[in-house]
Amino acid sequence: MLKYTFRYFLVASFIFFVSCAKDDDSQETNNPTKSANRQGTGDSANDFLSEDNFTDLVIEVVYVEGFEPSQSSLDNLVSFINQRCYKSGGVEINKRSIVSPNKELFTIEEIDSIEKEIRTHYNSGSRLALFAFFVDGEYKDNDENSVVLGVAYRNTSFVIFEETIQKFSNDFTEPSRVLLESTVYRHEFSHLLGLVDLGSEMQADHLDTENGHHCDVETCLMNYRVESGINVGGMISEENIPKLDSQCLADLRANGGR
Ligand SMILES: [Zn+2]
Ligand SMILES: [Zn+2]
């Protein structure tokens, strides 16, 4: 019965730092190398999509012990990046674990301050750096109707609530873990690509105004409850991951993407 209440998983796109992007840490602001990675969500959309400024990408994957993202899901994220972005120098994953911060609940401010302590890769030369953080515990404002699975909270950072994903996948009545993970990883990454109306200009109006920076096409990867479109018990196949619709694709291409 409880499953019904959780029928629609919410992939959050609380674009937290769009409105509060001021950096209180003067030390970081004075460091141009780090400050380039501490901008608002969507601000580096063109840097991801085109290779005008960066020809390759490093993804720093940091996970809390016990909550390692599946390799297939990371592979699915990389293949998505290669489909949408020009990065002729390649995409490299640099993965490591950390001990649990021992918190049951996280605000995005807390996630952001942990990032400041543990992130080691920043943009350098022709290499763009992405920070992907996989945590235990859960998002502070989850309620009985919806749970947050991921948040894109900076221009080159997203957090995945991996423990929450594990809780709601791989049961008979739930999506497979790889399918749910791949969907959430691609969805959050697409916010960093500037979707929707978040750094990649809309070529036609398809903004779901009631639900933040999401697409109003129900079957699109960028719909706010894209997980409801996941085939429960679906095969683990890249084909089954929800896709970007033609309008989202048009926005990315207009901003230098593939
Ligand atoms: Zn979203
Ligand atoms: Zn769309």
Side-chain angles (χ1 to χ4, degrees):
M1 290 298 204
L2 194 63
K3 294 270 166 53
Y4 263 127
T5 20
F6 283 98
R7 179 149 175 230
Y8 298 116
F9 297 110
L10 178 70
V11 186
S13 67
F14 305 136
I15 306 306
F16 184 76
F17 285 99
V18 167
S19 50
C20 351
K22 285 194 203 79
D23 210 308
D24 49 358
D25 190 333
S26 54
Q27 205 186 339
E28 299 228 345
T29 320
N30 292 336
N31 183 336
T33 338
K34 288 189 177 179
S35 66
N37 293 90
R38 300 199 54 77
Q39 309 299 312
T41 311
D43 287 358
S44 292
N46 179 260
D47 286 340
F48 280 108
L49 291 163
S50 79
E51 54 184 1
D52 296 346
N53 297 321
F54 299 96
T55 54
D56 55 321
L57 172 68
V58 59
I59 308 177
E60 181 176 357
V61 169
V62 179
Y63 62 92
V64 171
E65 281 168 0
F67 299 95
E68 183 172 359
S70 312
Q71 189 57 49
S72 311
S73 306
L74 291 178
D75 291 345
N76 282 335
L77 175 63
V78 172
S79 74
F80 180 77
I81 293 172
N82 286 322
Q83 284 160 29
R84 304 276 69 95
C85 305
Y86 290 98
K87 288 289 166 263
S88 58
V91 178
E92 184 196 314
I93 288 187
N94 191 297
K95 187 165 67 167
R96 71 175 193 280
S97 65
I98 59 165
V99 294
S100 171
N102 273 320
K103 286 175 67 72
E104 278 178 34
L105 303 172
F106 288 99
T107 63
I108 295 306
E109 292 93 329
E110 288 165 342
I111 293 290
D112 187 55
S113 60
I114 296 174
E115 174 188 331
K116 281 185 184 175
E117 288 167 26
I118 65 174
R119 181 169 181 164
T120 60
H121 289 265
Y122 293 87
N123 298 352
S124 167
S126 62
R127 173 166 271 211
L128 179 62
L130 166 65
F131 181 75
F133 193 20
F134 301 78
V135 296
D136 58 354
E138 58 176 86
Y139 181 66
K140 190 163 180 283
D141 293 338
N142 282 348
D143 59 32
E144 67 272 17
N145 297 314
S146 64
V147 293
V148 168
L149 302 178
V151 180
Y153 61 94
R154 288 260 184 204
N155 60 325
T156 60
S157 314
F158 63 72
V159 60
I160 302 295
F161 291 94
E162 189 67 28
E163 185 172 3
T164 308
I165 288 188
Q166 293 191 6
K167 218 179 271 181
F168 295 108
S169 57
N170 274 6
D171 194 353
F172 286 122
T173 56
E174 294 165 344
S176 85
R177 182 158 309 156
V178 170
L179 202 50
L180 187 57
E181 284 177 342
S182 303
T183 303
V184 177
Y185 302 173
R186 287 181 175 195
H187 178 101
E188 296 310 330
F189 180 74
S190 293
H191 281 309
L192 302 186
L193 297 184
L195 294 175
V196 171
D197 197 24
L198 187 66
S200 285
E201 199 183 328
M202 283 194 293
Q203 303 304 295
D205 185 11
H206 61 110
L207 181 65
D208 176 354
T209 46
E210 281 181 14
N211 295 295
H213 293 276
H214 289 115
C215 177
D216 63 9
V217 175
E218 226 170 88
T219 54
C220 178
L221 175 69
M222 293 316 286
N223 190 270
Y224 82 106
R225 46 180 218 193
V226 58
E227 299 84 356
S228 65
I230 290 181
N231 203 351
V232 168
M235 304 261 291
I236 304 170
S237 149
E238 205 180 337
E239 278 304 297
N240 289 331
I241 305 169
K243 294 179 173 42
L244 290 173
D245 79 306
S246 59
Q247 297 177 92
C248 282
L249 288 174
D251 296 353
L252 297 186
R253 288 185 185 124
N255 196 17
R258 281 179 189 271

